[in-house]
C-alpha cells in the first residue's frame, strides 16, 4: 500500500510539473480565437484587437476565425469539441448565455463544456424610441404601454436575440406588454426603427449616439447599473423607473473544459493587462464598452449568473427558435 501511495504521489507531482511546464512554454505555436458571430460586429472588433496585441506580447500568432451561424452555436460547438490545450479559444458575448435557452437542443453544454478565462469588456444597450411615439422618458413609455397593451411595436435582430431578450426583460420588469417584431439582422431592424415603422428598440451606443444627436431617435435610458461615459446625460433604466433592471453587452474569452489552469491563468493575466492599457481603452471607447476584466473564478460565477438570468427571461417571454 505504501508503494501504491508513493507511486500515486509521484504521478500527481509529475502531472503538476508537466502542467506547469506547459503553461510556462505556452504558446508554442499559433493560437486560434474563434468568434461565433459575424465579422465587423461588437465582438469582432475588440477580438481582433486583442488577438493582435497577444501576438505582440506572447511572440506567437493569435488569429481570429469567424464561425458564425445559429445564434453563435456553430462556433461555440467547434471550440467545445476542440483539444483543451489552450490553442483553440472562444471569444464570445451575451448571446452565449441566451442561445441555450431558445434553441431546443444544443450539441454542447454552455456551462460544463467550457472553462471561463476572462471577461474582457462590458457596456450598455440604449433604450431608444422614434420621436413620433411622443414619449420622453421611461415612465412615459411605461404609462403609454399600459394604456395600449400589446400595441407598441419593438424591433430586434431576430427571435431569441439579445435585443429581443433585453427588451422582454424590460417589459416584464416594468409590467407592460410590447409587441415583438423580429427582423433578419440588426440592419433591417434599425432601418425600420429610423423610419418609425417600429417605435421602440434597444441598440448599442455606437448606433444610438449619432441618431440621438441628429434627433432621429430619443434615448430614454441605458441598460447598465451606472450611466454610460459616452452618454452621461441619459439615465439608467433603473434610476428612470424600473428598479433593479440591468442588462449588459459583454464580451469574454472561454476555453474548452479541461484546459490547464496554468494556461488559463497566463491568458487571464496577459489579456487583463492589455485591456487596462490606455491604447486598448481608447479603441474600446467608440464601441461603448469599458474594460471589465476579472479572474477566471469571477468570470465563471458571472457566466453562471447570466445563464440563469437569461434563462428566466426566455421562459417569461416564451421565446424559442426551431
Amino acid at each position: 500500500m505504501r508503494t501504491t501511495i508513493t507511486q500515486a504521489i509521484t504521478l500527481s507531482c509529475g502531472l503538476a510539473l508537466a502542467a506547469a511546464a506547459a503553461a510556462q512554454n505556452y504558446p508554442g505555436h499559433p493560437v486560434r480565437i474563434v468568434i461565433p458571430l459575424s465579422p465587423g460586429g461588437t465582438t469582432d472588433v475588440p477580438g481582433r484587437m486583442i488577438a493582435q496585441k497577444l501576438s505582440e506580447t506572447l511572440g506567437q500568432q493569435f488569429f481570429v476565425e469567424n464561425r458564425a451561424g445559429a445564434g453563435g452555436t456553430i462556433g461555440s460547438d467547434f471550440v467545445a469539441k476542440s483539444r483543451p490545450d489552450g490553442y483553440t479559444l472562444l471569444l464570445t458575448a451575451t448571446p452565449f448565455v441566451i442561445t441555450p435557452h431558445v434553441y431546443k437542443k444544443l450539441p454542447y453544454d454552455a456551462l460544463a463544456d467550457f472553462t471561463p478565462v476572462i471577461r474582457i469588456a462590458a457596456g450598455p444597450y440604449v433604450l431608444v424610441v422614434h420621436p413620433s411615439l411622443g414619449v420622453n422618458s421611461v415612465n412615459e413609455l411605461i404609462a403609454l404601454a399600459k394604456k395600449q397593451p400589446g400595441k407598441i411595436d419593438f424591433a430586434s435582430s431576430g427571435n431569441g436575440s439579445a435585443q429581443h431578450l433585453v427588451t422582454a426583460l424590460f417589459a416584464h420588469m416594468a409590467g407592460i406588454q410590447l409587441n415583438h417584431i423580429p427582423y433578419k439582422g440588426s440592419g433591417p431592424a434599425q432601418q425600420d426603427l429610423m423610419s418609425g415603422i417600429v417605435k421602440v428598440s434597444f441598440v448599442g451606443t455606437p448606433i444610438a449616439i449619432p441618431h440621438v444627436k441628429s434627433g432621429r431617435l430619443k434615448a430614454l435610458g441605458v441598460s447598465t447599473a451606472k450611466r454610460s461615459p459616452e452618454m452621461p446625460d441619459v439615465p439608467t433604466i433603473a434610476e428612470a423607473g424600473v428598479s433593479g433592471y440591468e442588462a449588459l453587452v459583454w464580451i469574454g474569452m472561454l476555453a474548452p473544459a479541461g484546459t490547464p489552469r496554468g494556461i488559463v491563468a497566463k491568458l487571464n493575466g496577459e489579456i487583463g493587462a492589455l485591456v487596462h492599457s490606455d491604447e486598448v481603452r481608447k479603441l474600446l471607447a467608440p464601441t461603448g464598452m469599458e474594460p471589465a476584466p476579472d479572474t477566471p473564478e469571477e468570470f465563471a460565477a458571472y457566466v453562471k449568473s447570466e445563464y440563469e438570468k437569461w434563462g428566466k427571461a426566455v421562459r417569461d417571454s416564451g421565446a424559442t427558435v426551431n
Side-chain angles (χ1 to χ4, degrees):
M1 182 178 291
R2 187 179 295 113
T3 300
T4 301
I5 293 173
T6 301
Q7 289 174 338
I9 292 172
T10 302
L11 177 61
S12 177
C13 290
L15 291 173
L17 288 171
Q24 185 176 2
N25 296 327
Y26 175 85
H29 56 81
V31 178
R32 182 202 321 256
I33 299 176
V34 174
I35 296 180
L37 303 166
S38 300
T42 305
T43 307
D44 193 64
V45 175
R48 292 181 183 278
M49 175 177 60
I50 292 295
Q52 179 186 340
K53 294 298 178 183
L54 285 174
S55 299
E56 295 170 2
T57 58
L58 292 178
Q60 286 287 350
Q61 183 188 9
F62 283 70
F63 64 95
V64 168
E65 182 177 298
N66 293 92
R67 286 181 175 248
T73 63
I74 292 175
S76 298
D77 183 49
F78 177 81
V79 175
K81 291 177 170 58
S82 297
R83 290 183 61 185
D85 55 9
Y87 289 94
T88 302
L89 305 169
L90 180 70
L91 190 76
T92 190
T94 311
F96 177 77
V97 291
I98 294 176
T99 51
H101 304 289
V102 295
Y103 283 81
K104 293 181 179 179
K105 189 175 181 180
L106 287 184
Y108 60 86
D109 186 311
L111 298 182
D113 291 342
F114 297 89
T115 297
V117 176
I118 188 170
R119 184 173 68 159
I120 295 170
Y125 294 93
V126 185
L127 173 58
V128 294
V129 297
H130 192 268
S132 64
L133 189 61
V135 300
N136 297 295
S137 69
V138 169
N139 281 331
E140 287 184 14
L141 174 61
I142 293 172
L144 182 63
K146 286 183 176 179
K147 290 180 182 177
Q148 303 175 18
K151 293 184 178 180
I152 299 175
D153 296 336
F154 78 89
S156 85
S157 56
N159 195 36
S161 66
Q163 272 185 308
H164 175 193
L165 274 301
V166 165
T167 315
L169 180 65
F170 165 74
H172 177 72
M173 293 182 67
I176 60 175
Q177 296 178 30
L178 299 173
N179 185 43
H180 180 214
I181 307 295
Y183 288 80
K184 293 182 178 179
S186 57
Q190 182 182 334
Q191 184 176 350
D192 277 8
L193 176 67
M194 296 299 172
S195 63
I197 294 174
V198 288
K199 308 293 187 183
V200 179
S201 189
F202 276 83
V203 300
T205 50
I207 295 172
I209 289 173
H211 297 304
V212 169
K213 285 182 177 179
S214 70
R216 297 184 70 186
L217 294 174
K218 288 183 180 180
L220 304 187
V222 294
S223 65
T224 38
K226 62 178 183 178
R227 296 193 182 198
S228 168
E230 303 299 310
M231 305 182 77
D233 296 331
V234 179
T236 69
I237 290 171
E239 68 179 304
V242 185
S243 179
Y245 181 86
E246 183 181 15
L248 278 70
V249 184
W250 58 263
I251 58 173
M253 182 170 286
L254 300 99
T259 300
R261 289 184 181 181
I263 290 176
V264 171
K266 187 169 188 176
L267 285 167
N268 181 278
E270 293 289 342
I271 295 171
L274 288 174
V275 172
H276 276 304
S277 70
D278 290 339
E279 182 181 1
V280 173
R281 281 177 177 272
K282 289 177 182 177
L283 290 171
L284 279 174
T287 70
M289 290 194 169
E290 296 183 80
D294 51 11
T295 66
E297 295 75 19
E298 289 169 338
F299 187 38
Y302 181 75
V303 169
K304 188 173 185 297
S305 68
E306 285 280 281
Y307 180 91
E308 293 170 352
K309 170 182 176 177
W310 291 114
K312 184 178 185 305
V314 169
R315 291 190 296 274
D316 289 341
S317 70
T320 185
V321 176
N322 293 326

